[in-house]
Amino acid sequence: MIRLGVIGYGRRAHGVINGPLRQVEPDIRVAAVVDPDKEGVSQRLAEIDRKDVQFYLSLEEMVRKANLDGIFIGTRCHLHAPLASQVARYDLPLFLEKPVAITMKQAISLEKAFENSRCQVVVSFPLRVSPLCQLAKDHINQGDLGKPVHVHAFNFVPYGTVYWEQPYRDYSITGGLFLQKATHDFDYLCYLMGSSIVRVGAMATFGQVFGGRKKAGLRCSECEQEATCLESPRNRARNLSGYHTNDHFCLYSVDCGNLETGTNEDCSSAVVEFVSGGHGVYSQVFFTRREAGARGAIISGYLGTLSFDWYRNELKVVHHHRPFTTVEKAAEALSHFGGDFELARDFIGLIKGKIKKSRTPIETGIQSAYICLAARESSLTGKFIKVRQVGSR
Ligand SMILES: NC(=O)c1ccc[n+]([C@@H]2O[C@H](COP(=O)([O-])OP(=O)(O)OC[C@H]3O[C@@H](n4cnc5c(N)ncnc54)[C@H](O)[C@@H]3O)[C@@H](O)[C@H]2O)c1
């Protein structure tokens, strides 16, 4: 039996453990938890875990007493780096939620903590390991594009209201949407281009769509504009504009922050330069709905152009100098496009000693955080920013 210790047993941890991890290894138990919300955790825990789970006050005590085989960090973003830095002391596989850090100070100390660590990390980057991204990588590796020189990547998020109506709107916890969202995209783009990003110029648009002056803590059920607001549950239900139709916090509230205190962007874009000499653009838009949802990339080399979109579950390669175009369709969508299952396979494989190396090791998380931090800085200063590289001093 695999004994798992969880720090921050929230919705994401519960979903990954009871979905993909249990699918890959049914004989897994949540043996120990560190989480201040004991009541919430107890309600979330699967029946099979409830009987024997032990709660601890600290990570150190949990590792000392619980005889663990692996650790899962599922707290919110601002706690990932300090907690992972502590776990780096132990020789236990770690599943670490993203972003792995939300400030430069956190990212640098995390890198330092892992310098001589034996702790193997699976950073929660499902896109990189998703079957569709792997198929794109196979095409690139077999030379269908020649050297990849340009990328045009896009992320039209159909559930982006979560960043204004859920705790993600607290900027001090998330650090903005490059770190929250683009961390996945910059990671898979570096992977596909076979090269890190060295320079970023970015822009963000604030307060054109969401955010505002409505009172703190306001919910639709108490709002006098509930009948006309397009975000109210009844209008979301009527317009099929989701992504859910429950009562929720106001997206136009002072709780969403402002430019002085920090706030999420309605949309943002980055021009990125790769070490290889290629370049690309990436855009993310958080107010789109329904079939407007799209996430993927168009990658070009002299020999061909490859495009894919996780929402359409399709990949196309146009051969520039041969009269052929290849279209490949993926099977039905899985959790995070099949990526969560692949992350689970890596994590269980590391715990059982069946694999030696994670496909999303700690360096991938830290490098992506460095790129996101550069993008955030660029968007706020209007300057191109050099990206710190993992391993550089
Ligand atoms: N990889 C992905 O694709 C993906 C998808 C969704 C969410 N996430 C990430 O997962 C993380 C968690 O999101 P969520 O929606 O599950 O949040 P959540 O609020 O449901 O869960 C966070 C949990 O951490 C606990 N917690 C708070 N302070 C703590 C502390 N000091 N020590 C230990 N536990 C503490 C909370 O009580 C809660 O149970 C976020 O960082 C988010 O970015 C990643």
Side-chain angles (χ1 to χ4, degrees):
M1 192 218 291
I2 289 180
R3 292 174 59 81
L4 194 61
V6 183
I7 310 157
Y9 190 93
R11 277 165 291 188
R12 172 70 179 160
H14 178 69
V16 173
I17 292 166
N18 287 284
L21 281 177
R22 282 222 148 91
Q23 260 174 290
V24 174
E25 176 51 67
D27 202 11
I28 189 169
R29 293 287 184 284
V30 177
V33 171
V34 177
D35 191 314
D37 180 16
K38 192 172 170 184
E39 201 186 316
V41 174
S42 304
Q43 281 168 9
R44 269 190 289 279
L45 277 170
E47 192 72 40
I48 196 164
D49 293 321
R50 276 190 199 150
K51 199 159 65 71
D52 297 322
V53 70
Q54 294 289 325
F55 284 84
Y56 295 94
L57 289 176
S58 74
L59 164 59
E60 188 271 327
E61 188 195 7
M62 177 174 85
V63 174
R64 194 159 33 84
K65 295 188 177 162
N67 189 24
L68 299 175
D69 299 304
I71 293 182
F72 191 118
I73 294 182
T75 58
R76 288 199 171 264
C77 316
H78 63 308
L79 296 174
H80 296 162
L83 289 168
S85 297
Q86 289 182 52
V87 177
R89 290 190 220 128
Y90 309 112
D91 187 5
L92 281 172
L94 167 66
F95 191 104
L96 175 59
E97 263 317 326
K98 49 50 62 174
V100 301
I102 64 161
T103 63
M104 189 54 94
K105 196 167 164 226
Q106 280 193 348
I108 291 172
S109 17
L110 186 62
E111 189 181 344
K112 203 160 181 320
F114 273 90
E115 255 166 18
N116 296 308
S117 170
R118 291 165 61 95
C119 169
Q120 289 262 12
V121 184
V122 173
V123 175
S124 185
F125 279 152
L127 294 188
R128 171 192 282 246
V129 295
S130 68
L132 196 60
C133 187
Q134 293 294 314
L135 185 66
K137 186 70 174 168
D138 289 346
H139 279 286
I140 293 170
N141 283 347
Q142 74 198 29
D144 286 350
L145 312 186
K147 178 185 172 187
V149 175
H150 185 268
V151 59
H152 187 140
F154 48 88
N155 188 5
F156 292 89
V157 186
Y159 54 87
T161 51
V162 298
Y163 302 110
W164 281 268
E165 65 186 51
Q166 288 190 5
Y168 291 109
R169 66 186 182 172
D170 185 340
Y171 190 86
S172 63
I173 288 178
T174 55
L177 297 179
F178 278 118
L179 283 152
Q180 182 53 225
K181 187 52 76 187
T183 189
H184 290 290
D185 303 77
F186 289 145
D187 173 67
Y188 88 75
L189 289 173
C190 291
Y191 172 63
L192 289 181
M193 295 294 279
S195 175
S196 184
I197 289 170
V198 281
R199 201 162 62 112
V200 181
M203 241 182 230
T205 297
F206 299 93
Q208 300 287 311
V209 180
F210 297 131
R213 292 166 172 269
K214 290 277 187 191
K215 71 174 184 191
L218 182 65
R219 287 180 165 275
C220 299
S221 50
E222 306 148 359
C223 180
E224 55 196 22
Q225 288 172 318
E226 191 269 341
T228 52
C229 178
L230 286 176
E231 298 300 343
S232 69
R234 82 161 96 174
N235 283 325
R236 284 183 179 175
R238 190 171 124 226
N239 300 326
L240 302 177
S241 60
Y243 83 107
H244 71 84
T245 53
N246 303 323
D247 190 23
H248 56 84
F249 285 119
C250 177
L251 292 86
Y252 308 100
S253 150
V254 290
D255 292 331
C256 299
N258 56 55
L259 269 177
E260 278 77 54
T261 58
T263 184
N264 289 334
E265 63 266 32
D266 294 322
C267 49
S268 49
S269 304
V271 186
V272 297
E273 180 187 352
F274 292 89
V275 178
S276 62
H279 88 270
V281 289
Y282 165 75
S283 285
Q284 49 182 12
V285 182
F286 294 96
F287 46 83
T288 48
R289 304 296 160 90
R290 310 181 59 243
E291 286 88 15
R295 192 173 199 177
I298 306 168
I299 303 180
S300 303
Y302 178 61
L303 297 183
T305 289
L306 174 153
S307 54
F308 64 91
D309 180 341
W310 277 286
Y311 284 88
R312 313 280 170 279
N313 245 337
E314 191 177 285
L315 182 146
K316 185 160 113 178
V317 179
V318 179
H319 300 278
H320 292 169
H321 304 282
R322 293 158 71 198
F324 295 105
T325 294
T326 313
V327 178
E328 286 165 285
K329 291 212 171 262
E332 227 169 82
L334 299 155
S335 163
H336 265 132
F337 316 107
D340 283 342
F341 186 75
E342 294 300 317
L343 294 173
R345 281 185 49 195
D346 279 11
F347 188 49
I348 299 294
L350 285 171
I351 290 175
K352 290 185 158 181
K354 290 203 170 141
I355 63 163
K356 291 272 165 280
K357 210 169 157 22
S358 156
R359 284 175 288 172
T360 55
I362 191 70
E363 307 84 75
T364 60
I366 298 171
Q367 189 56 57
S368 176
Y370 286 149
I371 300 166
C372 294
L373 289 164
R376 183 174 72 184
E377 186 182 341
S378 175
S379 72
L380 295 173
T381 60
K383 294 182 180 147
F384 270 88
I385 304 293
K386 194 169 164 231
V387 176
R388 186 184 170 101
Q389 301 298 308
V390 168
S392 72
R393 295 279 159 192

